[in-house]
Amino acid sequence: MAMPAVIGQKIHTPIAIGNGRPAMICPLQGENASQLVSRARKIEISPADVVEWRVDTLAERDPGVVRGAAQVVRREVQRPLIATFRSTGEGGQGDPADSQRVYETVAPIADALDVEYSHAARPELLELAYSHEAVPVLSYHNFERAESADALLDRLERMQTCLVRAGEQACQDMPADQAQALRDRGYGVVKVALTARNEMEALMIMAAGCQFERTKARLPLIVVAMGRHGIVSRAFPRNAGSSATFVSADGQASAPGQIDAHALADFYARIGKIALY
Ligand SMILES: O=C1C[C@@](O)(C(=O)O)C[C@@H](O)[C@@H]1O
């Protein structure tokens, strides 16, 4: 049984990822504070459970601007908040040179930090997350293609091992009460998002996710098949071994194939019990 991740310790209503119904996570993107405010308000009236602030979509990234935007986002977002700074090499819009500094600025207000597995400063960023009581979401993306099921299973295993080790190490370096709080929050979430170039690739990604979740998972997983062929993975995350699905609000998708939050919630309400399980 995987150790759930409790996200939202900086607000009053944290939620457990990997325990029960998969969460709907909605990206919040904006070039400046006023865009962030109006989009955050649209997300607040959507059925999303968690908000992912894509900090890399800010037009300016000097420390004062990022700090100001972080305060605005934290004030507007009443739901658990993941902060993500995805650089251009990782499929986002951020300058890699800004990455570590931006993460340091947003860590105090974030309930979770999304860290790319290939990030050069990965150990430091995982430590940063733990030291700010933020849950790390360790991510891998491939915007071009999927890989074989074996390669994906291997990757999931390596990512999980990396997070478990980082979590155990962080516990050793902390006073006992903080270490216990970290264990209660969970060592983190492993996330993979790969582009499915056809239906078979989408099903293969889902099958690999499902197999890992059933046989090897110690931490919650998020598994996404991106692109139009992968929409099935977003509608039925459970069938991909995934404890969350990324949705969009107001047409602001952060990756290809995201389903509108209201439409997905409606769909689940209509199809009833087969919905997410
Ligand atoms: O990693 C993910 C998943 C994602 O790429 C998707 O395909 O929905 C969207 C990103 O914003 C998020 O960080």
Side-chain angles (χ1 to χ4, degrees), residues 12-223:
H12 298 300
T13 46
I15 71 160
I17 304 265
N19 190 9
R21 178 177 73 79
M24 283 200 213
I25 307 179
C26 187
L28 167 61
Q29 310 182 87
E31 291 182 4
N32 51 44
S34 78
Q35 264 187 10
L36 286 167
V37 169
S38 67
R39 291 181 183 161
R41 292 186 181 170
K42 298 225 166 84
I43 296 174
E44 284 295 299
I45 53 166
S46 85
D49 302 296
V50 175
V51 176
E52 180 201 35
W53 179 24
R54 287 290 302 264
V55 191
D56 54 297
T57 58
L58 278 176
E60 286 179 52
R61 281 147 206 160
D62 42 86
V65 173
V66 178
R67 209 169 302 117
Q71 277 161 10
V72 166
V73 167
R74 189 68 280 188
R75 188 190 67 218
E76 296 294 329
V77 173
Q78 310 294 319
R79 300 173 198 198
L81 180 67
I82 305 173
T84 302
F85 184 84
R86 183 138 307 120
S87 64
T88 41
E90 300 164 350
Q93 301 176 37
D95 180 341
D98 293 335
S99 178
Q100 206 163 342
R101 183 181 46 72
V102 168
Y103 274 119
E104 282 162 13
T105 310
V106 300
I109 59 104
D111 298 302
L113 286 188
D114 186 299
V115 175
E116 195 71 20
Y117 185 56
S118 60
H119 200 295
R122 183 184 72 210
E124 291 80 4
L125 292 177
L126 295 180
E127 229 179 281
L128 177 77
Y130 292 131
S131 68
H132 284 277
E133 298 179 11
V135 172
V137 179
L138 191 60
S139 290
Y140 168 77
H141 291 82
N142 191 328
F143 289 92
E144 265 141 43
R145 56 184 183 84
E147 53 194 353
S148 72
D150 283 347
L152 187 50
L153 287 166
D154 254 27
R155 181 183 297 287
L156 286 165
E157 179 117 46
R158 274 182 277 127
M159 292 172 77
Q160 174 169 270
T161 303
C162 164
L163 255 188
V164 169
R165 289 209 180 124
E168 285 172 351
Q169 185 61 49
C171 283
Q172 277 178 25
D173 299 343
M174 295 177 168
D177 56 333
Q178 286 177 32
Q180 192 51 50
L182 196 168
R183 281 189 214 98
D184 293 345
R185 234 174 13 251
Y187 292 156
V189 178
V190 172
K191 175 174 65 171
V192 290
L194 303 100
T195 295
R197 291 169 300 184
N198 53 53
E199 288 76 6
M200 289 302 289
E201 282 191 353
L203 294 176
M204 190 272 294
I205 293 167
M206 292 176 74
C210 211
Q211 183 178 337
F212 191 82
E213 199 259 340
R214 299 281 151 85
T215 58
K216 301 250 172 84
R218 295 178 60 192
L219 301 178
L221 300 184
I222 300 179
V223 179

